[in-house]
């Protein structure tokens, strides 16, 4: 709520314009200053300032409510608390209906495990007519890694919904509702995010997919143009020194290298995608649509002992757990990103069998579902989830999945 825009809070237009003119854009910007500082900066009287601050505080810090009143409010406004059914019965039951509106849902897993396949199926479901259980809307699909396949999309649709896709012109109509965009750089992605906020309303968008967030930092390295951009962005926020004698890290490993430098210097962690994370999260909250993002995995290193204990405990203990559970992978993008997502679904492989895990959710216990990828997309082998405990909740396994690659480009067997 701190990132709620001043222009959307409902202040009188005269005072809202003054805030905008002084570059006070969010509620956090306004509430971070005292009344006297605001008087001086805005050049208005005490009464106007205190009234504006009280109004902003009331919006972003609403009074407490009882559990009963929250439940009654949810029933009354069920259309605002909806879900996008995934078509996977066990997962939909665990999530009380599917992918929830208004929050970030993350799919994390190694390469080739099925994240993009899942996103393609969700895109189809969002574009389907409501009479067939869809959201009857458009989809914005941000294809960072150029993995989107129109051919595969049509195949999944024809196999999953033959009664729709075999009708004349319906395949073209459904696929025409999915708007694919491939950003060429991080700066282009940043600019287009602002435009997407307007497009969500103008085009009746019912789902936003970003595949993948980690590639915004690491993926562009394959084109050799992103390192300078990220280096200059990070250097503005972090006092990291790039000595001439120090060989520059590979782009794919840049985030980990920067994090290790922070740990050495005792610098508070600041994420290279910090602004983007906050903006996308606020986009989900205010647009009330499901936003699904994919994330990559990476090898865990010993200097991650400086992270929060809920995700990674002391390296010695974690190393023992890895030996016991056969896992040495963690989600990319770190703790800052992990806090931003509301639902984390982990796709992994153990002894050659793929599993979909509900690793983080405020409405479900940690569960694992075995699955396969078929012509119709992802298919659960059992709708009865296996309850998870201990380190296995956050662990990401790769046993028997040869397509997994670490950030140095070597296969993980």
């Amino acid at each position: 709520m701190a990132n709620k825009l001043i222009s959307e809070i409902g202040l009188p237009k005269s005072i809202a314009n003054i805030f905008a003119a002084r570059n006070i854009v969010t509620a956090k910007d306004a509430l971070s200053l005292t009344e006297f500082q605001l008087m001086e900066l805005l050049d208005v009287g005490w009464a106007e300032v205190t009234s504006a601050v009280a109004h902003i505080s009331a919006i972003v810090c609403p009074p407490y409510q009882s559990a009963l009143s929250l439940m009654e409010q949810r029933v009354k406004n069920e259309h605002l608390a909806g879900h996008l059914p995934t078509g996977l019965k066990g997962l939909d039951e665990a999530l009380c209906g599917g992918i929830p509106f208004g929050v970030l849902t993350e799919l994390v897993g190694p390469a080739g495990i099925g994240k993009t396949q899942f996103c393609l199926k969700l895109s189809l479901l969002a574009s389907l007519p409501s009479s067939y259980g869809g959201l009857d809307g458009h989809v914005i699909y941000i294809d960072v890694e150029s993995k989107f396949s129109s051919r595969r999309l049509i195949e999944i649709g024809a196999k999953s919904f033959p009664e729709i896709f075999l009708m004349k012109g319906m395949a073209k109509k459904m696929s025409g509702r999915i708007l694919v965009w491939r950003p060429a750089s991080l700066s282009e992605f940043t600019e287009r995010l602002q435009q997407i906020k307007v497009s969500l309303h103008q085009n009746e968008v019912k789902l936003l997919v970003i595949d993948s967030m980690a590639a915004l930092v690491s993926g562009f390295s394959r084109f050799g143009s992103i390192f300078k951009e990220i280096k200059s962005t990070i250097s503005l926020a972090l006092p990291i020194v790039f000595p001439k004698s120090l060989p520059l890290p590979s782009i794919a490993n840049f985030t980990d290298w920067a994090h290790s430098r922070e740990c050495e210097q005792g610098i508070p962690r600041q994420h290279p995608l910090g602004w983007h994370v906050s903006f996308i999260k606020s986009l989900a909250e205010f647009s009330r649509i499901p936003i699904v993002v994919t994330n990559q995995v990476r090898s865990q290193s010993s200097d991650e002992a400086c992270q929060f204990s809920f995700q990674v405990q002391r390296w010695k203990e974690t190393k023992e757990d890895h030996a016991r559970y056969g896992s040495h992978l963690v989600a990319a993008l770190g703790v800052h990103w992990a806090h931003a997502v509301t639902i984390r679904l982990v796709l992994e492989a153990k002894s050659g069998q793929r599993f979909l895990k509900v690793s983080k959710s405020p409405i479900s216990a940690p569960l694992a579902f075995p699955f396969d990828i078929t012509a119709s997309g992802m298919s659960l082998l059992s709708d009865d989830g296996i309850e998870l405990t201990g380190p296995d909740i956050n662990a990401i396994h790769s046993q028997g999945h040869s397509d997994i690659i670490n950030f140095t480009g070597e296969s993980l067997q």
Side-chain angles (χ1 to χ4, degrees), residues 259-260 262-264 302-308 312-314:
H259 174 67
S260 67
E262 292 168 9
C263 292
E264 292 171 7
S302 59
D303 55 19
E304 286 186 295
C306 66
Q307 293 193 33
F308 295 110
V312 180
Q313 299 177 5
R314 296 292 181 185

Side-chain angles (χ1 to χ4, degrees), residues 157-159 161-171:
K159 295 292 184 179
F161 314 103
E163 66 278 16
I164 300 177
F165 275 76
L166 295 182
M167 293 172 60
K168 185 177 180 180
M170 286 303 292

Side-chain angles (χ1 to χ4, degrees), residues 342-368:
T342 301
I343 307 288
R344 169 171 278 182
L345 303 178
V346 172
L347 282 68
E348 63 176 8
K350 294 174 66 175
S351 302
Q353 175 60 62
R354 304 185 197 210
F355 287 89
L356 169 63
K357 295 197 309 189
V358 182
S359 178
K360 177 185 177 185
S361 170
I363 55 178
S364 172
L367 298 172

Side-chain angles (χ1 to χ4, degrees), residues 318-387:
T318 306
K319 191 174 181 180
E320 292 174 356
D321 288 335
H322 287 171
R324 190 189 322 156
Y325 290 92
S327 170
H328 54 277
L329 302 175
V330 294
L333 300 181
V335 174
H336 180 78
W337 168 254
H339 283 310
V341 300
T342 301
I343 307 288
R344 169 171 278 182
L345 303 178
V346 172
L347 282 68
E348 63 176 8
K350 294 174 66 175
S351 302
Q353 175 60 62
R354 304 185 197 210
F355 287 89
L356 169 63
K357 295 197 309 189
V358 182
S359 178
K360 177 185 177 185
S361 170
I363 55 178
S364 172
L367 298 172
F369 300 91
F371 76 92
D372 273 338
I373 299 295
T374 66
S376 60
M378 182 180 290
S379 176
L380 297 185
L381 301 180
S382 172
D383 292 322
D384 297 323
I386 304 167
E387 190 162 350

Side-chain angles (χ1 to χ4, degrees), residues 212-226:
S212 71
M213 281 298 293
L216 288 168
V217 174
S218 64
F220 290 128
S221 62
R222 289 187 288 274
F223 305 101
S225 62
I226 197 65

Side-chain angles (χ1 to χ4, degrees), residues 29-40:
D29 295 337
L31 298 179
S32 297
L33 302 173
T34 67
E35 284 86 347
F36 292 107
Q37 288 174 324
L38 285 171
M39 286 176 61
E40 182 179 359

Side-chain angles (χ1 to χ4, degrees), residues 16 27 36 46 91 107 119 125 127 129 161 170 197 201 211 213 221 223 248 285 295 308 323 326 342 359 390:
F36 292 107
W46 173 261
L91 180 62
L107 305 177
C119 289
L125 290 166
S127 64
F161 314 103
M170 286 303 292
K197 185 173 183 179
H201 300 287
D211 185 17
M213 281 298 293
S221 62
F223 305 101
L248 293 177
E285 293 173 353
N295 190 8
F308 295 110
T342 301
S359 178

